[in-house]
Amino acid sequence: MNTKREHWVTSGDVTLYAVAEGHPTATPLVLVHGYPDNHHVWDKVADKLRRQFLVIRYDVRGAGQSDKPPRTKDYLLNLLAKDLESVVNAIIPEQAFHLAAHDWGAVQSWESVTDPQLQTRILSYTSISGPCLDHVGFWIRNQILSPNTGGTNKVLRQLISSWYIALFQVPVLPELAWKAGLDRLWPNYLKTKEQVRDARFSTFQKSDGLHGIKLYRANFLPRLLRPRARRTHCPVQVIIPTRDAYVGAQLTDEAVRWTGKLTLQKLDAPHWAVLTMPDAICQLVSTFIAANDRRS
């Protein structure tokens, strides 16, 4: 029985839109999207994985059909972790689950994977193009303190790749770009720069872009400047698209320091691998889950 069920989940003052697809008794797998996307970025992946898993997706706060809080502080990592907790508590109460996330979805999911509140329920975590900000903060410090090994150059290369993060800290300007029509240009950008051949305009695109900027403003500078020691207890798989123009492979150099069991998988793909190589993503995720599915 493959069914699709819609859910409206309350998380504090925010209401989140979520969908669950697949057999209700199948192994639960939660997929978390990034910026400037909503849960539909996982459509191709979910279409295949729902045959094997109970696939749960949701629009993170600020995206899709979920609420869009107006204040920057409403997008802090601890609140995003509470959102994931609220979703799984509503749809699969008390059940353990596997977790996979892309881009900003992966960034925010590290918060849940390293937090005691959900650690006992997360069976495995697959991160795609989204490092833990705290780990990056420590990585930057260590690289700058090791100039003789090329650390400073590594940091500079990553800063150049992440130019947009600095832009997002500028008041008003990024919002003006979306309001001026960036949403209409976005499908063409994905086609020409990211090889997403079937990219199409979404009526949510402008809103997703506008509100998601707060994710970066609320979290990047505080976490990079004052990183916390965040360690995982579940097995972690990091998928590294080798043609990622934004997240460099060097950010995984010290990942083993923070993870109990780490698997690194390189994939010949650009940043939006969930759109351009869904079959490969499905294979990597399902294989990793099969090797680490120890539900009680």
Side-chain angles (χ1 to χ4, degrees), residues 238-256:
V238 177
I239 298 177
I240 307 168
T242 56
R243 291 183 280 122
D244 194 324
Y246 318 102
V247 182
Q250 64 267 15
L251 293 180
T252 64
D253 287 350
E254 299 178 8
V256 69

Side-chain angles (χ1 to χ4, degrees), residues 215-266:
L215 295 166
Y216 293 83
R217 289 179 179 161
N219 297 292
F220 260 90
L221 290 180
R223 292 282 62 80
L224 295 184
L225 295 175
R226 297 184 295 276
R228 306 157 298 169
R230 307 288 288 184
R231 292 180 171 82
T232 69
H233 294 280
C234 70
V236 173
Q237 173 178 230
V238 177
I239 298 177
I240 307 168
T242 56
R243 291 183 280 122
D244 194 324
Y246 318 102
V247 182
Q250 64 267 15
L251 293 180
T252 64
D253 287 350
E254 299 178 8
V256 69
R257 172 185 175 188
W258 307 105
T259 55
K261 180 181 179 183
L262 176 66
T263 301
L264 299 177
Q265 296 281 6
K266 291 187 177 181

Side-chain angles (χ1 to χ4, degrees), residues 27 29 76 127 188 205 215 220 287:
T27 301
L29 167 62
L76 289 168
S127 170
N188 188 58
Q205 192 64 72
L215 295 166
F220 260 90
T287 299

Side-chain angles (χ1 to χ4, degrees), residues 95-271:
Q95 290 187 55
F97 60 94
H98 296 271
L99 179 64
H102 173 252
D103 186 78
W104 180 266
V107 172
Q108 71 179 63
S109 292
W110 281 101
E111 186 77 5
S112 299
V113 173
T114 58
D115 191 280
Q117 195 66 30
L118 277 181
Q119 274 183 345
T120 59
R121 292 176 62 186
I122 299 176
L123 297 168
S124 75
Y125 176 46
T126 295
S127 170
I128 309 168
S129 294
C132 173
L133 294 184
D134 293 288
H135 298 171
V136 173
F138 284 114
W139 175 81
I140 290 174
R141 289 185 181 185
N142 293 338
Q143 297 304 312
I144 291 175
L145 293 174
S146 305
N148 294 333
T149 61
T152 303
N153 288 334
K154 287 183 179 180
V155 172
L156 288 175
R157 286 199 301 270
Q158 183 55 55
L159 289 176
I160 292 171
S161 297
S162 302
W163 59 269
Y164 58 95
I165 296 175
L167 177 62
F168 288 169
Q169 308 306 314
V170 179
V172 181
L173 185 60
E175 288 88 345
L176 284 178
W178 287 109
K179 290 178 181 179
L182 181 56
D183 57 319
R184 292 286 176 179
L185 299 175
W186 190 251
N188 188 58
Y189 176 83
L190 291 178
K191 289 177 182 178
T192 57
K193 299 296 184 181
E194 293 293 324
Q195 292 82 56
V196 183
R197 296 178 181 176
D198 58 348
R200 293 182 177 86
F201 173 74
S202 166
T203 55
F204 290 109
Q205 192 64 72
K206 181 180 292 187
S207 178
D208 292 346
L210 278 170
H211 297 282
I213 292 168
K214 298 182 183 72
L215 295 166
Y216 293 83
R217 289 179 179 161
N219 297 292
F220 260 90
L221 290 180
R223 292 282 62 80
L224 295 184
L225 295 175
R226 297 184 295 276
R228 306 157 298 169
R230 307 288 288 184
R231 292 180 171 82
T232 69
H233 294 280
C234 70
V236 173
Q237 173 178 230
V238 177
I239 298 177
I240 307 168
T242 56
R243 291 183 280 122
D244 194 324
Y246 318 102
V247 182
Q250 64 267 15
L251 293 180
T252 64
D253 287 350
E254 299 178 8
V256 69
R257 172 185 175 188
W258 307 105
T259 55
K261 180 181 179 183
L262 176 66
T263 301
L264 299 177
Q265 296 281 6
K266 291 187 177 181
L267 184 64
D268 182 17
H271 180 78

